[in-house]
Amino acid sequence: MNEVPGFLLALGLRPDADERAIRRSYATELKKIDQETDAQAFQRLRETYEAALFWVRNRPPANAPSPAPVVPEVQEPQKELAPQIDRIDPAPVQPLIETPRPASPHENAHEVVEAFANRLVKNPLSSIDDAAMLLNVALEDDRLLDMDARFLFEANVAHILAGGWQPGHEHLFEAACEAFEWRKDSSRLQRLGQAGHVVDAAIVEQHAHADLPPAHRELQLKYLDLLRRRHNPGEEAVALGLDHVLHAASLFPNWVRLTSKTGNIAAWQQINADAASSTFRPSPRRTAPAAATSRVPLKPSQLVAWFAIFCVGLMLFVLLQSFLKWQGARMPASEPLVSQAVRPVPSASPATVIPTSPTSSTFAPAATPPRASIASPDVPTAEYSVAPRPVYPPMSKRLGEQGKVLVKVMPDSDGIVRGIRVAQSSGYERLDAAAVDAVKAARLIVPPIKAEKTSATWYMAPINFVLTDGAKPPARKDWSQMVAAAVRPNIVLAVEVQGNPVVEFILDLAPNGKILNTVLSKSSGVPEWDNAALRAIRKTEYMPLPDQGKLPPQMVLALRPKNQ
């Protein structure tokens, strides 16, 4: 009877499938299931896989003869015989044939890891491609088809890396991060114990190192590579590269320990100390004459000559000071520099008002106080043949940004804008940019007299952004709350932290809010929480701008696991 069992059909196999085919089919189907979101499907697949293995291990051979039917024999009546004691030979005992016990996932993983480690010792990896190929060969081994064995192999690779640098480990680190997707899913490393935490910290530090300025980063990589290869690269190389190596080792200790030979740092420091001592050690041949001459007293004529030189120098200094004072008294007093006064914009000047709703034009909150303008009072106001059509930025609406922008434009004889700049800012970059874009597309009316002039004429184009939607602008938020709202959603912590320790980071910020550099200034004492907070800051990338639009170049960010 050739009926195919249901568990074989679920795995897409035929009745003649062997144990190896079942494992391969299970691994293929497992990749199609997300174990975290679809736990029921994973459980059904696991039960099907175990049922198929049990069936294939206990099925009868295909060529086994079928048992013959048993025919009952007719017993004839036996004659009564005298009792005889016959010698009964014991039946031969058939030896039991023990079926080989399948190896456990732990044994399979141990065998693959042992071969993998021996290969690393005998033939150190020379490139990332070699490391990736070695990992792929190991992962394709039939002994790692079982998911438990594969997990144990991954944990052992993390343990090999966390044990410290060995030749080729810098390439194995990159290949393992790609093969096991450690950079995309840090929770995989959290399940690998202490070794996983060390590798996770190294990955976070590697990301932080990538954010350094390119020139500084390339120098560090150059000397870290030299640190791996040379125990004594020479006094000149040590003098140039020791500071870079020590800086990298202090900021990124886990990453440097996993990918560089940190044992050479002490040798480099000793070489640098020996070079410094030999440079400043006086030579015996030169010190003897110097000591002899230092004990010779100066002659009276020499003392007189040195005293005369001192007096002449002092007289020249006094004369120079007197000349400078006399020259300053002759110069007329210059007029003080007077900054241009802030002139309020006349109410009658035409300004383009950008309302947020055309139906409620009667309500407008007080505009932002105008800033100092670089415009001169004789600049004429622009008149348009094609008026500007500014677009109110949606983000400015949401944040309640409003104000007046004075744009200074220079048209050609046809009225097309050829030069443009902001004469007075609204206080918000988004509104200034929207005003400039609107005026660029406008077309001005240039009087014929001014069109015939050879010199360019500037005009003033006011653009007024006003919220007129019948509602007051939203209240300004506390900047610390805005920062917490930006960072906290990115925190992923796989372990429970006792208490509520605080970790502090120093952040270097660009004017647009981009995080340029992050340095751990105060540890919480819990490495898991420190790494989770650092990953969240890296993932945030940009800090929110405060309401006034100004951002400090450096800030201290303190985070706790529990939001109080």
Side-chain angles (χ1 to χ4, degrees):
M1 191 170 184
N2 295 329
E3 184 179 355
V4 181
F7 43 78
L8 291 182
L9 290 176
L11 295 175
L13 299 173
R14 298 182 301 177
D16 57 348
D18 56 0
E19 188 172 345
R20 179 177 180 181
I22 292 174
R23 292 181 183 275
R24 288 188 179 277
S25 178
Y26 170 69
T28 303
E29 294 296 329
L30 188 61
K31 294 180 181 179
K32 302 176 183 178
I33 297 176
D34 188 354
Q35 302 180 23
E36 296 182 357
T37 59
D38 197 356
Q40 294 182 355
F42 170 71
Q43 183 64 25
R44 288 194 301 269
L45 179 61
R46 184 71 182 183
E47 292 174 355
T48 303
Y49 166 68
E50 292 176 353
L53 283 181
F54 180 79
W55 178 82
V56 77
R57 290 172 181 172
N58 295 277
R59 65 181 175 183
N63 55 357
S66 59
V70 178
V71 180
E73 296 181 357
V74 180
Q75 297 289 338
E76 296 180 356
Q78 297 182 357
K79 299 179 180 180
E80 293 184 1
L81 300 176
Q84 295 181 358
I85 299 176
D86 296 333
R87 182 167 171 262
I88 301 175
D89 296 330
V93 179
Q94 298 293 334
L96 296 177
I97 301 176
E98 296 182 359
T99 57
R101 181 180 62 86
S104 65
H106 180 79
E107 294 173 348
N108 290 334
H110 179 73
E111 293 174 358
V112 177
V113 169
E114 186 177 3
F116 182 81
N118 292 335
R119 165 65 173 77
L120 291 178
V121 174
K122 292 180 181 178
N123 299 315
L125 301 172
S126 59
S127 66
I128 299 177
D129 293 337
D130 291 347
M133 183 180 302
L134 182 61
L135 277 175
N136 290 334
V137 170
L139 291 174
E140 290 177 359
D141 195 307
D142 292 342
R143 291 171 290 183
L144 295 185
L145 289 176
D146 187 86
M147 299 308 297
D148 295 336
R150 185 176 289 262
F151 174 79
L152 292 173
F153 176 75
E154 180 180 354
N156 277 275
V157 172
H159 181 75
I160 291 174
L161 290 173
W165 180 87
Q166 294 297 330
H169 277 202
E170 67 275 12
H171 307 307
L172 179 61
F173 176 77
E174 298 294 335
C177 289
E178 293 297 327
F180 300 116
E181 298 184 349
W182 287 341
R183 290 193 177 95
K184 298 180 182 178
D185 186 8
S186 60
S187 61
R188 294 175 62 99
L189 288 169
Q190 303 297 329
R191 297 192 295 265
L192 301 182
Q194 183 62 30
H197 291 302
V198 172
V199 176
D200 186 31
I203 293 175
V204 173
E205 292 171 359
Q206 187 186 38
H207 289 172
H209 181 265
D211 292 338
L212 294 178
H216 187 54
R217 182 177 68 251
E218 294 299 327
L219 278 176
Q220 281 193 355
L221 292 176
K222 171 185 175 182
Y223 287 110
L224 286 176
D225 180 64
L226 187 62
L227 182 70
R228 285 190 292 266
R229 294 184 291 106
R230 302 290 296 275
H231 179 78
N232 184 1
E235 294 182 358
E236 183 178 357
V238 170
L240 295 174
L242 183 58
D243 290 340
H244 294 282
V245 170
L246 293 176
H247 183 259
S250 62
L251 292 181
F252 320 109
N254 294 288
W255 176 62
V256 172
R257 189 175 69 84
L258 267 62
T259 59
S260 297
K261 190 175 182 180
T262 54
N264 284 343
I265 295 180
W268 284 29
Q269 290 175 327
Q270 185 62 39
I271 294 171
N272 188 57
D274 294 343
S277 61
S278 62
T279 301
F280 294 101
R281 186 183 300 119
S283 175
R285 297 182 178 179
R286 296 182 180 179
T287 54
T293 55
S294 63
R295 289 191 292 269
V296 177
L298 293 175
K299 297 179 181 179
S301 59
Q302 293 176 338
L303 292 174
V304 172
W306 281 112
F307 180 75
I309 293 174
F310 171 76
C311 292
V312 171
L314 182 62
M315 291 176 61
L316 290 176
F317 177 75
V318 172
L319 289 176
L320 181 61
Q321 292 291 332
S322 302
F323 175 76
L324 292 176
K325 291 181 180 179
W326 174 74
Q327 190 72 15
R330 289 187 57 189
M331 294 179 62
S334 58
E335 297 182 358
L337 297 176
V338 181
S339 60
Q340 296 179 353
V342 178
R343 298 178 180 273
V345 180
S347 59
S349 61
T352 304
V353 180
I354 309 302
T356 59
S357 175
T359 59
S360 56
S361 59
T362 58
F363 174 80
T368 306
R371 296 187 179 183
S373 173
I374 63 173
S376 57
D378 56 346
V379 176
T381 304
E383 298 181 359
Y384 308 99
S385 59
V386 178
R389 298 180 179 179
V391 178
Y392 214 118
M395 182 59 71
S396 298
K397 288 183 184 180
R398 231 175 288 133
L399 298 178
E401 298 175 354
Q402 58 181 354
K404 191 171 188 177
V405 186
L406 294 181
V407 182
K408 204 172 181 181
V409 295
M410 181 184 66
D412 58 10
S413 58
D414 297 329
I416 300 174
V417 177
R418 298 301 181 187
I420 187 169
R421 63 186 179 186
V422 177
Q424 174 179 306
S425 173
S426 65
Y428 301 100
E429 295 182 3
R430 282 182 288 268
L431 298 183
D432 297 346
V436 170
D437 293 339
V439 175
K440 281 182 181 179
R443 192 159 185 173
L444 280 69
I445 299 175
V446 181
I449 298 177
K450 293 186 178 181
E452 294 175 358
K453 291 183 179 181
T454 57
S455 61
T457 304
W458 289 87
Y459 293 85
M460 190 64 64
I463 304 293
N464 195 11
F465 293 89
V466 181
L467 292 171
T468 58
D469 55 354
K472 295 182 179 180
R476 292 184 176 180
K477 296 181 179 179
D478 185 10
W479 186 54
S480 61
Q481 297 178 358
M482 298 168 63
V483 171
V487 176
R488 283 207 163 271
N490 298 326
I491 296 178
V492 178
L493 186 61
V495 298
E496 183 176 357
V497 179
Q498 297 295 333
N500 199 20
V502 62
V503 59
E504 294 183 0
F505 296 92
I506 299 177
L507 276 62
D508 295 333
L509 304 176
N512 62 347
K514 182 176 176 59
I515 302 173
L516 301 177
N517 190 24
T518 305
V519 178
L520 177 64
S521 61
K522 179 183 177 183
S523 174
S524 65
V526 183
E528 294 81 2
W529 168 238
D530 295 349
N531 294 334
L534 183 58
R535 284 196 301 270
I537 295 173
R538 297 297 176 197
K539 191 174 181 180
T540 303
E541 293 186 358
Y542 285 86
M543 284 294 163
L545 297 176
D547 289 342
Q548 64 269 25
K550 294 181 180 179
L551 200 65
Q554 194 174 72
M555 65 172 290
V556 177
L557 179 59
L559 295 172
R560 294 179 181 272
K562 301 172 185 176
N563 192 9
Q564 295 180 345

